[in-house]
Amino acid sequence: MSTQACELGPVSRSSTWRTPAIIILCGCAIGMLGFGPRSALGFFVQPMSHEFAWGRDVFGLAIAVQNLLWGLGQPFAGAIADRFGLFRVMCVGALLYAGGLLLMRYSSTPLSLNLGAGVMVGFGLAGCSFNLVLSAFTKLLPAEKRGLALGAGTAAGSFGQFLFAPIGVALIDNFGWQQALTVFGFLMLLIIPLSLALSTPRVASTADVAPADEQTITRALAEAFGHRSYVLLVLGFFTCGFQLAFITVHLPAFLVDRGISTQTGGWVIAAIGLFNIIGSLSVGYLQNSLPKRYILSTIYFTRALATLAFISFPITPFSAIAFGAVSGLTWLSTVPPTSALVALMFGTRWLATLYGFAFVSHQVGGFLGVFLGGIVFEKFGSYTPIWWLSILFGVLSALINLPIVEKPVARAVAQPA
């Protein structure tokens, strides 16, 4: 059976004000707000470490915990959103995110830092990040608008990175890191009203659905993890998290170690966000005509080559910004084809849940990228081993994605009694 039963139709069938344009606009705003502050947290490493005499491993552990809990919380947030609707999940996520940033602002011990920046922000991101926005786009928008919308939603997160990186640096320089975190925290509350446009309906209970159309979450997970292409997709996504989290948190400090100013580091992170707008929109468009597995393989291999070139030559402001630009083209552009492949294979009913489990792999990679970066630096005084590990993972993921089969999973057709 090549088509998935019990899919949710476009929201226009039951709502008049939530047009596709409104849904995309509000979803992109949520993606921008959700991804912006956490992508600028690397600029708080040095001021907080200097003030409290922490090693970089302390801050690295907190952000590593954040990445891990974001990943572990994502499938649960996705399952709740799939079953009961998106709005409540978004509200709880936004409140946790804002509270975590404000607690981080008052942190003076590693424990409070881990609780705020790690636990609360991590679970908050699981409930209000662009991952749920993309699943809402897939469920609420007509099929012909989904590809570009997925690219736009991902690009919005990149625009948040472009916007919040220099803003974060300016706030820290002019008002201090505490005030910067306060501003970030209150901005997260804007996600709550915006999420009204992305409200998804409750899934019908088993009693209200025909047996031929019913698939429980347990069966959906068993089907996905028994599917070779899904497993390969999940394994490849690990590298994306490892590379992105390591660069986001440790690249600003790495550049300062090489004599590059903090302001330049801010523009490097901003360049990543700016160029990923181009990359995400391009991939969102191209995935309608090119095999998604080839797009993913190209992205991972390009990242490996860009990293190799970056560490092989002297680090200058020009090379740093050039690395940011090339990295930006491939930064979050793995997300549209990854989520689209999950929807293609298994349909949209449990999309947020199944993509959430793929995202666990992504965030386990992020946890290791941030945590190992801090540990390795404290032990060796250099990030060089992590850069080479990133290159190796990029090549492996480029190869892992090639055998993926891009077609719906085969399901037995129920026979009439």
Side-chain angles (χ1 to χ4, degrees):
M1 185 175 181
S2 60
T3 58
Q4 273 49 4
C6 200
E7 302 296 320
L8 295 173
V11 73
S12 57
R13 297 177 184 173
S14 59
S15 179
T16 55
W17 69 271
R18 292 193 299 160
T19 64
I22 293 296
I23 291 171
I24 293 172
L25 181 63
C26 291
C28 288
I30 292 172
M32 179 190 72
L33 288 169
F35 199 77
R38 60 91 49 193
S39 67
L41 292 182
F43 298 105
F44 294 86
V45 173
Q46 289 195 313
M48 293 187 72
S49 296
H50 288 160
E51 181 160 340
F52 300 114
W54 293 338
R56 292 183 190 176
D57 54 333
V58 173
F59 200 97
L61 177 61
I63 305 303
V65 169
Q66 176 196 115
N67 278 276
L68 183 61
L69 295 184
W70 181 9
L72 294 177
Q74 194 68 64
F76 295 101
I80 296 170
D82 280 335
R83 182 67 180 87
F84 299 104
L86 186 71
F87 178 67
R88 293 178 180 86
V89 178
M90 280 277 182
C91 289
V92 173
L95 290 172
L96 282 173
Y97 197 165
L101 290 172
L102 292 175
L103 179 57
M104 182 180 172
R105 179 250 186 274
Y106 291 102
S107 295
S108 58
T109 66
L111 178 61
S112 58
L113 180 68
N114 280 310
L115 180 60
V119 177
M120 293 181 68
V121 172
F123 282 133
L125 282 163
C128 68
S129 67
F130 66 92
N131 296 307
L132 291 183
V133 170
L134 298 185
S135 71
F137 281 175
T138 304
K139 291 184 177 185
L140 299 175
L141 296 174
E144 65 273 12
K145 297 182 181 294
R146 291 174 188 168
L148 190 57
L150 292 174
T154 308
S158 301
F159 183 74
Q161 180 170 326
F162 168 75
L163 189 65
F164 276 82
I167 288 177
V169 172
L171 287 172
I172 292 170
D173 288 345
N174 290 283
F175 303 103
W177 61 268
Q178 296 94 337
Q179 285 70 26
L181 287 170
T182 301
V183 172
F184 284 178
F186 280 105
L187 284 175
M188 294 309 97
L189 298 178
L190 294 175
I191 291 174
I192 295 175
L194 289 168
S195 62
L196 284 168
L198 272 65
S199 297
T200 54
R202 293 168 60 99
V203 173
S205 65
T206 304
D208 299 327
V209 181
D213 294 337
E214 174 64 17
Q215 185 186 45
T216 65
I217 186 172
T218 304
R219 291 177 181 174
L221 291 173
E223 179 181 71
F225 282 100
H227 194 272
R228 179 171 176 264
S229 292
Y230 178 78
V231 173
L232 292 175
L233 188 67
V234 169
L235 290 175
F237 216 22
F238 170 92
T239 292
C240 184
F242 184 94
Q243 294 171 331
L244 267 60
F246 169 68
I247 290 174
T248 298
V249 175
H250 292 289
L251 181 61
F254 170 80
L255 293 175
V256 170
D257 293 339
R258 294 297 188 277
I260 307 299
S261 69
T262 303
Q263 289 73 20
T264 300
W267 286 110
V268 172
I269 299 298
I272 292 174
L274 178 63
F275 278 85
N276 193 49
I277 296 173
I278 301 171
S280 296
L281 289 173
S282 299
V283 168
Y285 175 78
L286 291 173
Q287 70 178 12
N288 292 324
S289 56
L290 296 177
K292 298 172 185 60
R293 64 188 184 277
Y294 293 156
I295 293 175
L296 287 170
S297 182
T298 300
I299 289 170
Y300 288 123
F301 190 65
T302 300
R303 283 188 192 172
L305 288 179
T307 302
L308 178 62
F310 178 57
I311 66 173
S312 297
F313 296 97
I315 307 297
T316 66
F318 175 79
S319 71
I321 293 176
F323 174 70
V326 176
S327 297
L329 291 174
T330 65
W331 191 250
L332 290 176
S333 53
T334 58
V335 174
T338 299
S339 58
L341 280 171
V342 175
L344 173 63
M345 294 175 193
F346 308 108
T348 62
R349 179 168 188 182
W350 296 110
L351 173 63
T353 307
L354 297 180
Y355 178 77
F357 274 97
F359 195 69
V360 171
S361 174
H362 184 283
Q363 293 306 98
V364 169
F367 171 85
L368 291 175
V370 176
F371 183 62
L372 291 179
I375 293 294
V376 167
F377 183 85
E378 291 301 317
K379 184 173 180 61
F380 300 105
S382 171
Y383 291 114
T384 299
I386 305 300
W387 286 117
W388 283 104
L389 195 58
S390 176
I391 294 169
L392 173 62
F393 286 159
V395 173
L396 291 176
S397 287
L399 298 175
I400 284 173
N401 278 273
L402 290 177
I404 289 175
V405 177
E406 300 185 31
K407 65 180 182 180
V409 63
R411 291 175 182 162
V413 178
Q415 299 299 322

